[in-house]
Amino acid sequence: MLMSAAEYRESLRAYKPRVFVNGQTVESVADEPLLAPGIAGVGVTYDFALRKEHAPIMTARQCTSGKTVNRMLHINETSQDLLYKLEAVRLVCKTSGCAQRYLTHDALNGLYQSTKLTDDRHGTDYSQRFLAYLHDVQDRDLTLGVAMTDAKGDRSRRPGQQVNPDTYVHIKERRKDGIVIRGTKAIVTGAPYMHEFLVMPCRTHVPEDRDFAVACAVPCDAPGVTIIARPAGRPGEASAKFSAKYGQSVAVVVFDDVFVPHDRVFLAGETEEGGFLTTSYATHHRHSCIGARAGFGDLLIGAGALMIEANGLDPNRHAHIREAMVELITITESFYACGVASSVYCTKDPAGSVMPDAVFSNIGKLLLATKIYDMHRVAHYVSGGLIVALPGPDEDHNPETKASIAAVMGGRPDVPAEQRAEVARFIEDLTVSHEAGWYSVISLHGGGSPEAMKREIWRNYPVMEKVELVESLLDRGVLDDGRRVSKQPGRCCATGCEVPEPPQRSETVLLDEAADE
């Protein structure tokens, strides 16, 4: 069943989560104005899947069931699936800024791979449990929150060394019919208006920390779950031309002795496989983040062009404006191109699904994480100072000032002052407001910090292939100073010094903050 946005909003009434926003209890998530922009953002992924023109990329046939499902719930089987997913995420995010639901997709794909790996190594039945859960989620067209980023406490200490173990979610008790989990997840995207949470480890663990290597599914209103959230966007603010309609809430989610039955447990102490899940999810998620921020780039490009027009400038005649717009376009399409390359050069996983190329996914995510500030800078450059100097929207209706402001705030004679002001406030909302600052930080740290991406690039890039290439060229003769080329593997040709080789793929590599949302 494919739901509409209205049906998704209505479906939230079946849940009674314990939610606090701005210190106040939320009685009904579906009716809370402070969460409405977030619900609308997720709703885009529902409505677009029902539109005929978007159906090819917004829906997919799930091979394990034969049913048509929302793209945000699909397990990728081919490179084409990855390309369609990337395009789908860009599509919904250039409408909503951040549609949030693609995190559900990324977690499901990571779990699909990790449960199969764990079963193959340990003879467990996690993959069978997960497949049954996956089909149920697809049939009901649910949206799942990814409860991955632990509070972490003292980051110089491993989970088992923390003074307060509840800074990481962990298994407190193992029962015959399930497990009891306890702890805190610090950054859960869209938490108040999710149907369920997928709890996953945010880093690799050593055997001594096996109770922290846990993955499971928990309804948002399960006994013991508390959601402490911030508002989604800037609801109710007249100057919020974008984020009053679409926004994103994030929350701290506390699991206070929450019971999880066995059929919803997908990892329970297998530390190496937990590490694999962390990196697998991170790669899928960084691939999706590329599409999301490309959609945000589309918004800035369009708004910048409108502002240039309203200001009376012409990029064809004013080279400095054209150069700035080309820079914005280049930034956006360069990291998106990494997403395309990651899709094309994907690898087949033993589970039967496909994994985006880790190097291209991480390069793309690293580019967008650091270039988001340049995107804002360029938008400011082409827009001019009006985006922060313009009086508030209340003056638009003030009879004592409206006429005089309109007279001097106009740009081109054929562009009304009201229209110019509206575009200026739109760009202010995207790049200058506190919501804009939030988007910058989430771009930088969402999906893991830049350091996590650099580790993955180094870990996966075939540096030794490049070394061997140069060695093969230098082996053809004698160097200029008469020294002969060394043929000893792993050593520099000229000097014999050791060449550092990046570590091979390993589930036990320590990846603190590997996959923050």
Side-chain angles (χ1 to χ4, degrees):
M1 177 190 75
L2 293 175
M3 285 198 288
S4 66
E7 290 170 329
Y8 153 66
R9 180 173 175 270
E10 190 64 24
S11 73
L12 297 175
R13 299 186 189 281
Y15 299 82
K16 302 298 179 183
R18 186 170 186 247
V19 178
F20 297 90
V21 177
N22 285 351
Q24 301 298 314
T25 302
V26 174
E27 298 296 338
S28 171
V29 168
D31 300 308
E32 175 52 59
L34 294 178
L35 299 176
I39 294 173
V42 175
V44 170
T45 70
Y46 284 95
D47 276 350
F48 278 27
L50 297 175
R51 293 187 183 180
K52 185 177 180 180
E53 67 272 25
H54 297 324
I57 65 168
M58 286 301 302
T59 62
R61 180 185 177 275
Q62 176 62 43
C63 73
T64 55
S65 67
K67 297 180 180 180
T68 298
V69 303
N70 192 292
R71 178 70 63 179
M72 300 299 131
L73 304 178
H74 180 55
I75 302 300
N76 302 307
E77 302 162 30
T78 66
S79 172
Q80 191 70 48
D81 274 338
L82 290 173
L83 287 168
Y84 278 178
K85 185 264 289 187
L86 189 72
E87 194 173 341
V89 172
R90 183 170 187 170
L91 172 68
V92 295
C93 288
K94 70 182 178 183
T95 297
S96 64
C98 184
Q100 304 156 77
R101 199 181 183 198
Y102 57 85
L103 283 90
T104 303
H105 163 279
D106 304 335
L108 291 176
N109 275 266
L111 283 164
Y112 187 79
Q113 293 175 239
S114 65
T115 52
K116 176 64 165 61
L117 176 67
T118 310
D119 286 358
D120 289 346
R121 289 180 174 179
H122 301 285
T124 51
D125 65 347
Y126 291 132
S127 60
Q128 184 178 349
R129 301 181 197 177
F130 175 74
L131 195 60
Y133 177 75
L134 171 70
H135 290 163
D136 179 58
V137 167
Q138 291 173 334
D139 288 345
R140 293 193 287 154
D141 206 12
L142 301 183
T143 293
L144 310 177
V146 179
M148 187 174 208
T149 306
D150 293 283
K152 298 180 182 176
D154 184 345
R155 297 192 180 206
S156 68
R157 297 172 179 266
R158 299 199 62 82
Q161 299 170 335
Q162 297 294 325
V163 174
N164 180 3
D166 292 346
T167 56
Y168 282 83
V169 170
H170 58 282
I171 299 172
K172 180 183 177 182
E173 182 183 352
R174 297 172 186 265
R175 300 178 182 174
K176 291 182 178 180
D177 54 348
I179 60 174
V180 175
I181 62 172
R182 184 177 180 85
T184 305
K185 294 292 186 179
I187 306 173
V188 182
T189 298
Y193 40 86
M194 298 290 109
H195 295 107
E196 301 200 358
F197 296 119
L198 287 174
V199 176
M200 300 194 297
C202 75
R203 60 174 298 164
T204 54
H205 297 295
V206 296
E208 293 76 20
D209 293 338
R210 62 187 299 268
D211 285 342
F212 297 89
V214 57
C216 57
V218 178
C220 67
D221 58 355
V225 173
T226 299
I227 302 167
I228 307 163
R230 56 171 286 153
R234 300 167 64 194
E237 295 187 34
S239 60
K241 291 298 181 180
F242 183 79
S243 60
K245 181 177 183 181
Y246 294 114
Q248 178 178 345
S249 176
V250 292
V252 171
V253 178
V254 179
F255 297 86
D256 187 3
D257 294 348
V258 177
F259 173 71
V260 186
H262 273 313
D263 62 350
R264 287 171 158 263
V265 177
F266 312 126
L267 190 78
E270 294 82 5
T271 54
E272 287 195 8
E273 292 71 31
F276 174 85
L277 172 57
T278 299
T279 54
S280 175
Y281 167 78
T283 301
H284 284 291
H285 186 47
R286 290 163 191 168
H287 181 262
S288 293
C289 286
I290 290 170
R293 288 305 171 266
F296 185 78
D298 291 335
L299 291 172
L300 290 183
I301 292 167
L306 284 174
M307 199 69 213
I308 291 168
E309 180 184 45
N311 288 340
L313 298 174
D314 181 356
N316 291 318
R317 293 177 49 238
H318 300 93
H320 67 294
I321 293 295
R322 181 175 64 248
E323 181 178 337
M325 286 296 289
V326 168
E327 182 182 0
L328 181 55
I329 293 167
T330 300
I331 291 171
T332 301
E333 300 302 343
S334 61
F335 62 72
Y336 189 74
C338 288
V340 173
S342 180
S343 304
V344 172
Y345 291 105
C346 65
T347 55
K348 198 76 172 179
D349 187 83
S353 60
V354 290
M355 168 71 83
D357 179 80
V359 172
F360 283 119
S361 290
N362 281 277
I363 290 176
K365 178 58 176 67
L366 182 61
L367 284 174
L368 75 89
T370 52
K371 290 294 185 179
I372 186 70
Y373 302 97
D374 289 316
M375 294 168 73
H376 285 187
R377 171 184 54 80
V378 175
H380 298 163
Y381 182 84
V382 300
S383 300
L386 189 63
I387 60 174
V388 291
L390 186 69
D394 291 341
E395 293 300 333
D396 295 347
H397 309 287
N398 183 351
E400 295 189 32
T401 61
K402 179 179 179 181
S404 59
I405 289 178
V408 297
M409 288 299 180
R412 281 174 45 166
D414 58 339
V415 178
E418 295 84 358
Q419 181 176 318
R420 186 183 185 215
E422 185 176 42
V423 177
R425 291 188 181 118
F426 185 90
I427 295 176
E428 175 193 358
D429 194 13
L430 291 182
T431 67
V432 181
S433 68
H434 68 79
E435 187 70 11
W438 182 86
Y439 268 113
S440 298
V441 174
I442 208 69
S443 296
L444 183 67
H445 286 291
S449 66
E451 179 60 28
M453 284 144 234
K454 293 174 184 177
R455 290 183 186 183
E456 282 297 280
I457 293 168
W458 178 248
R459 194 165 73 93
N460 288 279
Y461 194 79
V463 173
M464 287 308 299
E465 288 184 13
K466 315 304 179 185
V467 171
E468 291 167 2
L469 169 65
V470 175
E471 281 184 330
S472 68
L473 295 172
L474 295 176
D475 274 347
R476 293 178 180 178
V478 179
L479 299 182
D480 291 342
D481 61 1
R483 288 177 293 161
R484 296 202 62 83
V485 172
S486 168
K487 294 185 179 181
Q488 184 176 357
R491 292 186 177 276
C492 176
C493 304
T495 65
C497 65
E498 292 187 0
V499 176
E501 183 174 358
Q504 299 301 308
R505 289 183 183 272
S506 170
E507 291 77 52
T508 57
V509 63
L510 301 183
L511 292 174
D512 191 18
E513 301 177 84
D516 286 2
E517 294 170 31

